[in-house]
Coordinates of all heavy atoms in Angstrom, one line a residue:
R258 N 37.7 -28.0 -8.2 CA 36.7 -27.3 -8.9 C 37.2 -26.3 -9.9 O 36.8 -26.1 -11.0 CB 35.7 -26.6 -7.9 CG 34.8 -25.5 -8.5 CD 33.8 -26.1 -9.4 NE 32.9 -25.1 -10.0 CZ 33.2 -24.3 -11.0 NH1 34.4 -24.4 -11.6 NH2 32.3 -23.4 -11.4
Y259 N 38.3 -25.5 -9.4 CA 38.8 -24.4 -10.2 C 40.1 -24.7 -10.9 O 40.5 -24.0 -11.9 CB 38.9 -23.2 -9.4 CG 37.5 -22.6 -9.0 CD1 37.0 -22.9 -7.7 CD2 36.8 -21.9 -9.8 CE1 35.8 -22.5 -7.3 CE2 35.5 -21.4 -9.5 CZ 35.0 -21.7 -8.2 OH 33.8 -21.2 -7.8
L260 N 40.9 -25.7 -10.4 CA 42.2 -25.9 -11.0 C 42.3 -27.3 -11.7 O 43.3 -27.5 -12.4 CB 43.3 -25.8 -9.9 CG 43.3 -24.4 -9.1 CD1 44.4 -24.4 -8.1 CD2 43.5 -23.3 -10.1
K288 N 47.4 -15.2 -9.5 CA 46.3 -16.1 -9.2 C 46.9 -17.6 -9.3 O 47.9 -17.9 -9.9 CB 45.2 -15.9 -10.3 CG 44.6 -14.5 -10.2 CD 43.5 -14.4 -11.2 CE 42.8 -13.0 -11.1 NZ 41.8 -12.8 -12.2
E290 N 45.7 -20.1 -10.8 CA 45.8 -20.7 -12.1 C 47.1 -20.3 -12.8 O 47.6 -21.0 -13.6 CB 44.6 -20.2 -13.0 CG 43.2 -20.5 -12.4 CD 42.7 -19.3 -11.5 OE1 43.4 -18.9 -10.6 OE2 41.6 -18.8 -11.8
H291 N 47.5 -19.0 -12.6 CA 48.7 -18.5 -13.2 C 49.9 -19.3 -12.7 O 50.8 -19.7 -13.4 CB 48.8 -17.0 -12.9 CG 49.8 -16.3 -13.9 ND1 49.6 -16.3 -15.2 CD2 50.9 -15.7 -13.6 CE1 50.6 -15.6 -15.8 NE2 51.4 -15.2 -14.8
R294 N 50.1 -22.8 -14.2 CA 50.6 -22.8 -15.6 C 52.1 -22.9 -15.6 O 52.7 -23.7 -16.4 CB 50.1 -21.6 -16.3 CG 48.6 -21.6 -16.6 CD 48.2 -20.4 -17.5 NE 46.8 -20.4 -17.8 CZ 46.0 -19.6 -17.1 NH1 46.4 -18.8 -16.2 NH2 44.7 -19.6 -17.4
W343 N 38.2 -13.1 -31.1 CA 37.6 -14.2 -30.4 C 36.2 -14.6 -31.0 O 35.5 -13.8 -31.5 CB 37.4 -13.7 -28.9 CG 38.7 -13.5 -28.2 CD1 39.3 -12.3 -28.0 CD2 39.5 -14.5 -27.7 NE1 40.5 -12.5 -27.3 CE2 40.6 -13.8 -27.1 CE3 39.5 -15.9 -27.6 CZ2 41.7 -14.5 -26.5 CZ3 40.5 -16.6 -27.0 CH2 41.6 -15.9 -26.4
H345 N 33.3 -17.4 -29.9 CA 32.6 -18.5 -29.1 C 33.7 -19.4 -28.4 O 34.6 -18.9 -27.8 CB 31.7 -19.3 -30.0 CG 30.7 -18.5 -30.7 ND1 29.5 -18.1 -30.0 CD2 30.5 -18.1 -32.0 CE1 28.8 -17.4 -30.9 NE2 29.4 -17.4 -32.0
H346 N 33.4 -20.7 -28.4 CA 34.3 -21.6 -27.7 C 34.3 -23.0 -28.4 O 33.4 -23.3 -29.2 CB 33.9 -21.8 -26.2 CG 32.4 -22.2 -26.1 ND1 32.0 -23.5 -26.2 CD2 31.3 -21.5 -25.8 CE1 30.7 -23.6 -26.0 NE2 30.3 -22.3 -25.8
D347 N 35.3 -23.8 -28.1 CA 35.3 -25.1 -28.7 C 34.5 -26.1 -27.9 O 33.8 -25.8 -26.9 CB 36.8 -25.6 -28.8 CG 37.4 -25.9 -27.5 OD1 36.8 -25.8 -26.5 OD2 38.6 -26.2 -27.5
D349 N 35.3 -28.3 -25.8 CA 35.7 -28.5 -24.4 C 35.4 -27.2 -23.5 O 35.8 -27.2 -22.4 CB 37.2 -28.8 -24.4 CG 37.6 -30.1 -25.0 OD1 36.8 -31.0 -24.9 OD2 38.6 -30.2 -25.7
G350 N 34.8 -26.2 -24.1 CA 34.5 -25.0 -23.4 C 35.6 -24.0 -23.4 O 35.5 -23.0 -22.7
R351 N 36.7 -24.3 -24.1 CA 37.8 -23.3 -24.2 C 37.5 -22.1 -25.1 O 36.9 -22.3 -26.1 CB 39.1 -24.0 -24.7 CG 39.6 -25.2 -23.9 CD 40.6 -26.0 -24.7 NE 41.3 -27.0 -23.9 CZ 41.9 -28.0 -24.4 NH1 42.0 -28.1 -25.7 NH2 42.5 -28.9 -23.6
P352 N 37.9 -20.9 -24.7 CA 37.7 -19.8 -25.6 C 38.4 -20.1 -26.9 O 39.4 -20.7 -27.0 CB 38.3 -18.6 -24.9 CG 38.3 -19.1 -23.4 CD 38.5 -20.6 -23.4
L353 N 37.7 -19.7 -28.0 CA 38.3 -19.9 -29.4 C 38.7 -18.6 -30.0 O 37.9 -17.7 -30.1 CB 37.2 -20.6 -30.2 CG 37.6 -20.8 -31.7 CD1 38.7 -21.8 -31.8 CD2 36.3 -21.4 -32.5
I382 N 45.6 -9.6 -26.2 CA 44.9 -10.8 -26.6 C 45.1 -11.9 -25.6 O 44.1 -12.6 -25.2 CB 45.3 -11.2 -28.0 CG1 44.9 -10.2 -29.1 CG2 44.6 -12.6 -28.4 CD1 45.4 -10.5 -30.5
N383 N 46.3 -12.1 -25.2 CA 46.6 -13.1 -24.2 C 45.9 -12.8 -22.8 O 45.4 -13.7 -22.2 CB 48.1 -13.3 -24.0 CG 48.7 -14.1 -25.1 OD1 48.8 -15.3 -25.0 ND2 49.1 -13.5 -26.2
E384 N 45.9 -11.5 -22.5 CA 45.3 -11.1 -21.2 C 43.8 -11.3 -21.3 O 43.2 -11.8 -20.3 CB 45.6 -9.6 -20.9 CG 47.0 -9.4 -20.5 CD 47.4 -10.0 -19.2 OE1 46.7 -9.8 -18.2 OE2 48.5 -10.7 -19.2
E385 N 43.2 -11.0 -22.5 CA 41.8 -11.2 -22.6 C 41.5 -12.7 -22.6 O 40.5 -13.2 -22.1 CB 41.3 -10.7 -24.0 CG 39.9 -11.0 -24.4 CD 38.9 -10.3 -23.5 OE1 39.2 -9.4 -22.7 OE2 37.7 -10.8 -23.5
G386 N 42.4 -13.6 -23.1 CA 42.2 -15.0 -23.1 C 42.2 -15.5 -21.7 O 41.4 -16.4 -21.3
L387 N 43.1 -15.0 -20.8 CA 43.1 -15.4 -19.4 C 41.7 -15.0 -18.7 O 41.2 -15.8 -18.0 CB 44.2 -14.7 -18.6 CG 45.6 -15.1 -19.1 CD1 46.7 -14.3 -18.3 CD2 45.9 -16.6 -19.0
R388 N 41.2 -13.9 -19.1 CA 40.0 -13.4 -18.5 C 38.8 -14.3 -19.0 O 37.9 -14.7 -18.2 CB 39.7 -12.0 -18.9 CG 38.5 -11.3 -18.2 CD 38.1 -10.0 -18.8 NE 37.7 -10.1 -20.2 CZ 36.5 -10.4 -20.5 NH1 35.6 -10.7 -19.6 NH2 36.1 -10.5 -21.8
R389 N 38.8 -14.7 -20.2 CA 37.8 -15.5 -20.8 C 37.8 -16.9 -20.2 O 36.8 -17.6 -20.0 CB 37.9 -15.6 -22.3 CG 37.4 -14.3 -23.0 CD 37.6 -14.4 -24.5 NE 37.1 -13.2 -25.1 CZ 36.0 -13.1 -25.8 NH1 35.2 -14.1 -25.9 NH2 35.6 -11.9 -26.3
C390 N 39.0 -17.4 -19.9 CA 39.2 -18.7 -19.3 C 38.5 -18.7 -17.9 O 37.8 -19.7 -17.5 CB 40.6 -19.1 -19.1 SG 41.4 -19.6 -20.7
E391 N 38.7 -17.6 -17.1 CA 38.1 -17.5 -15.8 C 36.5 -17.5 -16.0 O 35.8 -18.2 -15.2 CB 38.5 -16.3 -15.1 CG 40.0 -16.3 -14.7 CD 40.4 -15.0 -14.0 OE1 39.5 -14.3 -13.4 OE2 41.6 -14.7 -13.9
E392 N 36.0 -16.8 -16.9 CA 34.6 -16.7 -17.1 C 34.0 -18.1 -17.5 O 33.0 -18.5 -17.0 CB 34.3 -15.7 -18.2 CG 34.5 -14.3 -17.8 CD 34.1 -13.3 -18.9 OE1 33.8 -13.8 -20.0 OE2 34.1 -12.1 -18.7
N393 N 34.7 -18.8 -18.4 CA 34.2 -20.1 -18.9 C 34.3 -21.1 -17.8 O 33.5 -22.1 -17.7 CB 35.0 -20.6 -20.1 CG 34.6 -19.8 -21.3 OD1 34.0 -18.7 -21.3 ND2 35.0 -20.3 -22.5
T394 N 35.3 -21.0 -16.9 CA 35.3 -21.9 -15.7 C 34.1 -21.8 -14.9 O 33.5 -22.8 -14.4 CB 36.6 -21.5 -14.9 OG1 37.8 -21.8 -15.6 CG2 36.6 -22.4 -13.6
K395 N 33.6 -20.6 -14.7 CA 32.3 -20.3 -13.9 C 31.1 -20.8 -14.7 O 30.2 -21.4 -14.2 CB 32.2 -18.9 -13.6 CG 33.3 -18.3 -12.7 CD 33.2 -16.8 -12.5 CE 34.4 -16.3 -11.7 NZ 34.3 -14.8 -11.5
V396 N 31.1 -20.6 -16.0 CA 29.9 -20.9 -16.8 C 29.8 -22.4 -17.0 O 28.7 -22.9 -16.8 CB 30.1 -20.3 -18.2 CG1 29.0 -20.8 -19.2 CG2 30.0 -18.7 -18.1
F397 N 30.9 -23.1 -17.2 CA 30.8 -24.6 -17.5 C 31.0 -25.4 -16.3 O 30.8 -26.6 -16.3 CB 31.8 -25.0 -18.6 CG 31.5 -24.4 -19.9 CD1 32.2 -23.3 -20.4 CD2 30.6 -25.0 -20.8 CE1 31.9 -22.7 -21.6 CE2 30.3 -24.5 -22.0 CZ 31.0 -23.3 -22.4
G398 N 31.3 -24.8 -15.1 CA 31.5 -25.5 -13.9 C 32.6 -26.5 -13.8 O 32.6 -27.5 -13.1
R399 N 33.6 -26.3 -14.6 CA 34.8 -27.1 -14.6 C 36.0 -26.2 -14.9 O 35.9 -25.2 -15.6 CB 34.7 -28.3 -15.6 CG 34.6 -27.9 -17.0 CD 34.5 -29.1 -17.9 NE 34.4 -28.8 -19.4 CZ 33.3 -28.5 -20.0 NH1 32.2 -28.6 -19.4 NH2 33.3 -28.2 -21.3
P400 N 37.2 -26.7 -14.5 CA 38.4 -25.8 -14.8 C 38.7 -25.7 -16.3 O 38.8 -26.7 -17.0 CB 39.5 -26.6 -14.0 CG 38.8 -27.5 -13.1 CD 37.5 -27.9 -13.8
I401 N 38.9 -24.5 -16.7 CA 39.3 -24.2 -18.1 C 40.4 -23.2 -18.0 O 40.3 -22.0 -17.6 CB 38.1 -23.6 -18.9 CG1 37.0 -24.6 -19.1 CG2 38.6 -23.1 -20.3 CD1 35.8 -24.2 -19.7
S402 N 41.6 -23.6 -18.3 CA 42.8 -22.8 -18.1 C 43.5 -22.4 -19.3 O 44.6 -21.7 -19.3 CB 43.8 -23.5 -17.2 OG 44.2 -24.8 -17.8
C403 N 43.0 -22.8 -20.5 CA 43.7 -22.5 -21.8 C 42.7 -22.3 -22.9 O 41.5 -22.5 -22.7 CB 44.7 -23.6 -22.1 SG 44.0 -25.2 -22.2
W404 N 43.1 -21.8 -24.0 CA 42.2 -21.6 -25.1 C 42.6 -22.3 -26.3 O 43.8 -22.8 -26.4 CB 42.0 -20.1 -25.4 CG 43.3 -19.4 -25.6 CD1 44.1 -19.3 -26.7 CD2 44.0 -18.6 -24.6 NE1 45.2 -18.5 -26.5 CE2 45.2 -18.0 -25.2 CE3 43.8 -18.3 -23.3 CZ2 46.1 -17.2 -24.6 CZ3 44.7 -17.5 -22.6 CH2 45.8 -17.0 -23.2
T405 N 41.8 -22.3 -27.3 CA 42.1 -22.9 -28.6 C 42.2 -21.9 -29.7 O 41.5 -20.9 -29.7 CB 40.9 -23.9 -29.1 OG1 40.9 -25.0 -28.2 CG2 41.1 -24.4 -30.5
P438 N 52.9 -19.4 -20.4 CA 53.0 -20.8 -20.7 C 51.7 -21.6 -20.4 O 50.9 -21.2 -19.6 CB 54.1 -21.3 -19.7 CG 53.9 -20.3 -18.5 CD 53.5 -19.0 -19.2
E439 N 51.5 -22.7 -21.1 CA 50.4 -23.6 -20.9 C 49.0 -22.8 -21.0 O 48.1 -23.2 -20.3 CB 50.5 -24.2 -19.6 CG 51.7 -25.2 -19.4 CD 51.7 -26.3 -20.4 OE1 50.6 -26.9 -20.6 OE2 52.8 -26.6 -21.0
T440 N 49.0 -21.8 -21.9 CA 47.7 -21.1 -22.1 C 47.1 -21.6 -23.4 O 45.9 -21.4 -23.7 CB 47.9 -19.6 -22.2 OG1 48.9 -19.3 -23.1 CG2 48.3 -19.0 -20.8
L441 N 47.9 -22.2 -24.3 CA 47.3 -22.7 -25.6 C 47.0 -24.2 -25.4 O 47.8 -25.1 -25.2 CB 48.4 -22.6 -26.7 CG 48.0 -23.0 -28.1 CD1 46.8 -22.2 -28.6 CD2 49.1 -23.0 -29.0
G442 N 45.7 -24.5 -25.5 CA 45.2 -25.9 -25.3 C 45.4 -26.7 -26.6 O 45.7 -27.8 -26.6

Side-chain angles (χ1 to χ4, degrees):
R258 167 64 178 83
Y259 291 98
L260 304 180
K288 295 180 179 178
E290 304 93 306
H291 198 62
R294 289 186 182 100
W343 293 100
H345 301 284
H346 55 80
D347 68 4
D349 296 322
R351 298 166 174 163
L353 175 63
I382 292 171
N383 281 271
E384 290 295 309
E385 173 66 17
L387 297 178
R388 188 188 65 80
R389 287 175 178 260
C390 285
E391 291 183 22
E392 289 183 353
N393 286 17
T394 295
K395 298 175 183 177
V396 171
F397 292 99
R399 61 178 183 273
I401 296 175
S402 60
C403 53
W404 53 82
T405 293
E439 296 298 316
T440 53
L441 182 64

